[in-house]
Amino acid sequence: MARGLGKGINALFPDVDMNEAKIHKIPIEECRPNPYQPRKTFDADAIEELKISILEYGIIQPLILRKSIKGYEIVAGERRFRAAKEANLTEVPAIIQDLTDQKMMEIALLENLQRENLSIIEEALAYKNLLEELKLTQEELSEKLGKSRSHIANTVRLLTLPEEVITHINNGDLSMGHGRAILGLKNKAHIKRVVEKTLEEKLNVRQIEKMILSLNENKVKTKQVTPKRDIFIVKQEEELRNVLGTAVKIQKNKNKGKIEIDFYNDDDLERLLTYLKK
């Protein structure tokens, strides 16, 4: 489990006593945003509220900065920085830390996850960047962040959806559950129609899952009566689906059977192969 999650910004720097650390006054024009900041949008109303608070009480918690070739990069506290600029402050209180790019990425993500102010798509992009930039497996990232591997896998998989669907999820029109259900649609040509119907009729996740199940069954529908499935097999499919973060189908005959595992692109295949090889 990652020690940083849920314990405040102090826990991100276990080797530093934030109460004893030297606080510098840094000119605001010398500060610039963290290049690894996962949050892409900042709520204007929230920034305005923070600005009013800063004007009345000042900046209570110092920013965390890293010295760069020119000025400073913000490790943690970009909202405070933006609000301070709106308040026309000329300098901000800050603690200077010497950090690697890897640590910058980790802290930027952890700070946002603590505050739960990332959209699920921003979270997915942050996980994807950490996996690619730091050359981590999903299991290793899970250990670092204190998030389950299946949560990371399911979140990153949302990025394989069409851009239009990703935009709807990012805007809050569709939930992560809607997105995961849509990923199970076998005929991708139906995605647009499914999304339109979901938005128009405000379908919940269970309703959209039922619709997608119907569409998938129609694709392979035959005149034969489908035999009732073994409840044990169905349960094992569900458990595998949760572990692997993708659709799984188990087919069993009298003496043999097979397990089908869906993947959606080369990265998804590589993820599954790495997990299965373990």
Side-chain angles (χ1 to χ4, degrees), residues 186-237:
K186 292 182 179 179
N187 187 344
K188 304 307 177 185
H190 291 319
I191 286 180
K192 185 175 181 180
R193 179 160 62 93
V194 168
V195 169
E196 288 175 350
K197 185 176 178 65
T198 300
L199 294 174
E200 287 172 4
E201 300 182 17
K202 294 182 171 53
L203 301 180
N204 60 35
V205 175
R206 292 301 177 199
Q207 289 171 318
I208 192 177
E209 285 177 341
K210 187 175 180 181
M211 177 171 58
I212 288 172
L213 180 62
S214 177
L215 287 169
N216 287 344
E217 287 179 346
N218 285 340
K219 184 180 177 182
V220 293
K221 194 172 183 180
T222 65
K223 293 181 180 179
Q224 295 179 347
V225 177
T226 304
K228 188 174 181 180
R229 301 197 67 207
D230 187 326
I231 191 170
F232 172 79
I233 296 295
V234 173
K235 185 174 185 298
Q236 294 306 308
E237 284 180 344

Side-chain angles (χ1 to χ4, degrees), residues 48-86:
E48 179 64 21
E49 289 178 10
L50 186 53
K51 180 191 84 171
I52 294 170
S53 173
I54 286 173
L55 286 171
E56 185 172 357
Y57 303 107
I59 298 178
I60 298 171
Q61 185 181 49
L63 283 68
I64 309 297
L65 303 179
R66 176 178 79 163
K67 189 77 175 73
S68 63
I69 296 174
K70 186 177 180 181
Y72 299 87
E73 291 176 338
I74 299 169
V75 180
E78 187 169 339
R79 288 177 68 252
R80 277 163 277 152
F81 164 72
R82 288 171 177 261
K85 286 186 72 175
E86 291 289 328

Side-chain angles (χ1 to χ4, degrees), residues 120-177:
I120 194 66
I121 296 302
E122 287 173 332
E123 189 176 334
L125 287 168
Y127 291 152
K128 183 173 183 288
N129 288 338
L130 284 169
L131 290 167
E132 293 176 353
E133 295 293 331
L134 306 184
K135 310 298 182 188
L136 298 173
T137 65
Q138 289 184 350
E139 195 67 43
E140 289 168 337
L141 185 59
S142 168
E143 289 295 321
K144 277 182 172 290
L145 301 182
K147 294 280 186 177
S148 71
R149 192 209 59 79
S150 60
H151 172 78
I152 291 174
N154 288 328
T155 304
V156 172
R157 277 188 63 220
L158 295 175
L159 299 177
T160 65
L161 288 164
E163 193 62 38
E164 180 186 0
V165 182
I166 290 175
T167 300
H168 280 304
I169 295 174
N170 203 38
N171 292 340
D173 304 324
L174 298 174
S175 69
M176 179 182 182

